[in-house]
Each structure stands twice: as structure tokens, then as C-alpha cells.
């Protein structure tokens, strides 16, 4: 049997990792500033994380959601305290796409409405409902087509208001920062205005924080920079540092009904142990504050570099979620950074290099990237 060939692969195989570095079998080290699509939140092979997962799998790796699992409540308590959403409820699942599917389903149950408003260039996942609110025709098959989704330009409050005034929409879904689209920032005023029009029209606000959440932007969630409180928040990626997990945080105004949501693997014992370890490390090592400080340092230095280098068009981002737009081919630059500079970075379109490192990235490691990047971009 062969693998279904849908990925463009670099000819590199990391076999181990430590903090912000990964290593190949021959011992070559690579500074990881992509974290496997923003998944590695607390660093590779963090000893507390490794111990928590190993201890749990030695006791009980899985049982179904038909019985009590106190680890789920432990996770909910810690997540509520650290995120500031203690009054919200938590539904655990397996991925970001699944979290978004359940969020939209909840909104439809709660409002009795069927339509969803999303934004241009949004990315919310690859399963059927998540694809429907993703503005990317390359991943939408005929099966994914739906008449229940509309797209508005990101930042255009007039168009969003015009559509929502029909009172046909169960929810608006929006990313805290658009990641796949190239680190497109959401204006704080726009987010506040969107919250207001949702309140006026009885529309629920869903914040997709799958890539932008879990401390990445220097707040626990990116939307907290604007001061809004969504009705539903979706998480995944950094939640369990590589163990597959997703989560939906749900306002107390939305009431559960037995059987309305369900999952086989979601919130299993091993996943919860991993996610609890992540929150413990984030708190004890002050990783959200580090993301803010190191991210600010990186962004400031990159903006200074842009002033010296005409090839850099724009620096966008918050915390350790950074997009570097260049005039040339970003893919070619990323290959040079990887094969010559031994630095992993991410892509986001033809002209943007994306940085999504572990939240514990040090200033020294940031300086390694900055010096290497400037050498290659110049």
C-alpha cells in the first residue's frame, strides 16, 4: 500500500525534538519557528508533558464518554481560570475542524436559524461544514457546497451589518487573526462593532481561536485584545502540544440538551492529561507573557529590517503569530531558510513567511532567526 499523495513534502525527517529545536537521525538540528502549524505550544518533549502523558497511558489511556472522567473537569477548571472564561462550559472533541462544526451546530440549535456569515479568505477547517465557511475553492468539493453561508469582506462592518439585519443568521464565525490567509489582522474596533451588531440582531458570535489562541498573541485568546466576549470560542492546535484535541467554550446563555453533541474519542483520558500538562507548564513558565515580550521584540526588529530592505513589504501579527510579506517567492525563501539556515518556517500564500514558534521561544533564538533571515532576504 502507498500513501495517498496529497502533501508536498520536504526531504527532511525530524525524529526527535527538544524545546524549540527538532533533530534528524544524523543529529542535525533545526530551529523550529513553525511548531507543526502552531501545535507545539510548550516546546518539543517538555519533560513535564512527557511524564504526564506516560503516567496516564500507564494507568488508563481511553474509556468512552458514557462514564465519568474527572480529568475533563480538571481541564475545564484550569482552562476557565487561565483564559478568564470560568462561567463558560466546555465540550471536548478531536480537532479544530470538529470544534468549528460543533460550534456552528450549537449556534443553529440555540437560535433556530440556518445561515452562517463568514469572511473572505477565512480558513476554518477541511471537514464538510468547516469547508463551507472557508473561502478557498481549492478545498471545496461539490459535496461541500451550501446556500446557507455568505462571505463578507474582512473589516467591512457596513456589509456585515447589511447582511445580519435580515436576522436569518445563526452565527458569525471569525478568526482571531486569519492565519492561513497570511496573518491578516482583525481591527479591534471592527471586532467590537461586530459584537454590537450580533447583539442587536440575535446572532451568535463564534471566535475561531484554533491558531490564534492558547497564548500565541500575548493574551490567552487573540480576541481579548479587543475586549469582546464571544458566545462560542473554538480551540485546538496548541491545546495539547501535539496530541489530537479540540475544544468548544460555550456561553452560559446556551443551554445543553442530552445528545445534541457527541464524540467517541473527544476528551479521552490521555488527551486530557496532555492538555492539563500544557496549561500547567504555560502557567508556571509564564509562557503567555513570554509570547507577548518575545513576539514584540521580533516584530520590532523585523520592522526595523523592513526599513533597510526593500524586499520586505509588510510585517503583520501579534505575539508569536507573525507574517512577513515579501516581494519575491516566499516558498523559495523558506527553502533556503530550511536547507541552508536550518530554520523551519511556515507559508501563507505566495509572498508570506509565517512564524508560529513554541511560546517559550527565547530572545537568543529570535536573534538567530533575525540574523539568518536578513542574510537571505538581502
Amino acid at each position: 500500500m502507498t500513501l495517498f499523495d496529497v502533501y508536498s513534502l520536504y526531504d527532511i525527517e525530524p525524529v526527535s525534538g527538544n524545546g524549540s529545536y527538532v533533530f534528524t537521525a544524523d543529529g542535525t538540528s533545526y530551529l523550529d519557528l513553525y511548531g507543526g502549524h502552531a501545535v507545539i505550544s510548550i516546546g518539543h518533549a517538555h519533560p513535564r508533558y512527557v511524564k504526564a502523558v506516560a503516567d496516564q497511558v500507564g494507568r488508563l489511556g481511553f474509556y468512552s464518554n458514557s462514564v465519568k472522567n474527572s480529568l475533563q473537569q480538571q481541564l475545564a477548571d484550569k482552562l476557565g481560570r487561565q483564559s478568564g472564561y470560568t462561567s463558560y462550559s466546555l465540550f471536548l472533541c478531536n480537532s479544530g475542524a470538529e470544534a468549528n462544526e460543533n460550534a456552528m451546530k450549537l449556534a443553529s440549535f440555540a437560535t433556530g436559524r440556518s445561515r452562517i456569515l463568514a469572511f473572505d479568505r477565512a480558513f476554518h477547517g477541511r471537514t464538510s461544514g468547516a469547508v463551507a465557511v472557508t473561502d478557498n475553492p481549492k478545498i471545496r468539493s461539490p459535496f461541500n457546497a451550501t446556500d446557507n453561508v455568505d462571505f463578507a469582506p474582512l473589516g467591512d462592518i457596513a456589509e456585515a451589518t447589511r447582511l445580519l439585519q435580515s436576522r436569518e443568521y445563526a452565527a458569525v464565525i471569525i478568526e482571531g487573526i486569519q492565519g492561513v490567509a497570511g496573518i491578516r489582522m482583525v481591527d479591534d474596533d471592527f471586532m467590537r462593532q461586530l459584537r454590537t451588531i450580533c447583539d442587536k440582531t440575535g446572532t451568535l458570535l463564534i471566535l475561531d481561536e484554533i491558531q490564534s489562541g492558547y497564548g500565541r498573541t500575548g493574551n490567552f485568546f487573540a480576541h481579548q485584545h479587543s475586549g469582546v466576549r464571544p458566545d462560542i470560542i473554538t480551540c485546538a492546535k496548541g491545546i495539547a502540544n501535539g496530541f489530537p484535541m479540540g475544544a468548544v467554550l460555550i456561553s452560559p446563555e446556551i443551554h445543553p440538551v442530552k445528545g445534541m453533541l457527541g464524540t467517541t474519542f473527544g476528551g479521552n483520558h490521555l488527551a486530557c492529561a496532555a492538555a492539563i500538562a500544557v496549561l500547567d507548564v504555560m502557567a508556571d513558565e509564564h509562557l503567555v507573557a513570554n509570547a507577548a515580550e518575545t513576539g514584540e521584540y521580533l516584530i520590532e526588529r523585523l520592522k526595523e529590517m523592513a526599513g533597510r530592505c526593500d524586499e520586505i513589504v509588510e510585517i503583520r501579527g501579534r505575539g508569536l503569530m507573525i507574517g512577513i510579506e515579501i516581494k519575491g517567492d516566499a516558498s523559495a525563501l523558506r527553502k533556503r531558510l530550511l536547507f541552508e539556515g536550518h530554520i523551519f518556517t511556515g507559508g501563507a500564500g505566495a509572498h508570506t513567511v509565517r512564524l508560529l514558534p513554541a511560546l517559550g521561544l527565547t530572545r537568543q533564538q529570535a536573534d538567530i532567526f533575525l540574523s539568518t533571515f536578513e542574510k537571505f532576504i538581502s
Side-chain angles (χ1 to χ4, degrees), residues 156-215:
D156 189 339
I157 195 61
E159 178 62 8
T161 299
R162 184 188 71 81
L163 290 166
L164 293 177
Q165 282 176 339
S166 69
R167 297 179 183 268
E168 297 176 344
Y169 294 85
V172 175
I173 186 167
I174 184 170
E175 294 160 88
I177 295 174
Q178 286 190 338
V180 174
I183 314 298
R184 292 180 76 202
M185 304 290 289
V186 180
D187 184 80
D188 290 340
D189 285 337
F190 173 73
M191 192 71 83
R192 288 187 284 265
Q193 291 171 329
L194 189 61
R195 174 72 275 180
T196 298
I197 189 60
C198 283
D199 289 339
K200 289 180 177 178
T201 58
T203 309
L204 300 187
L205 179 60
I206 301 172
L207 250 297
D208 177 341
E209 294 278 9
I210 288 161
Q211 189 172 130
S212 58
Y214 253 73

Side-chain angles (χ1 to χ4, degrees), residues 305-346:
M305 192 186 301
R308 302 189 297 269
C309 179
D310 291 340
E311 181 63 20
I312 300 174
V313 175
E314 186 180 18
I315 307 300
R316 298 183 293 271
R318 268 178 169 154
L320 291 175
M321 185 173 186
I322 301 171
I324 308 167
E325 185 176 340
I326 66 172
K327 291 179 181 177
D329 182 357
S331 177
L333 177 58
R334 289 173 55 225
K335 287 179 182 177
R336 286 200 68 196
L337 286 165
L338 179 58
F339 290 105
E340 298 177 44
H342 289 188
I343 298 175
F344 271 100
T345 59

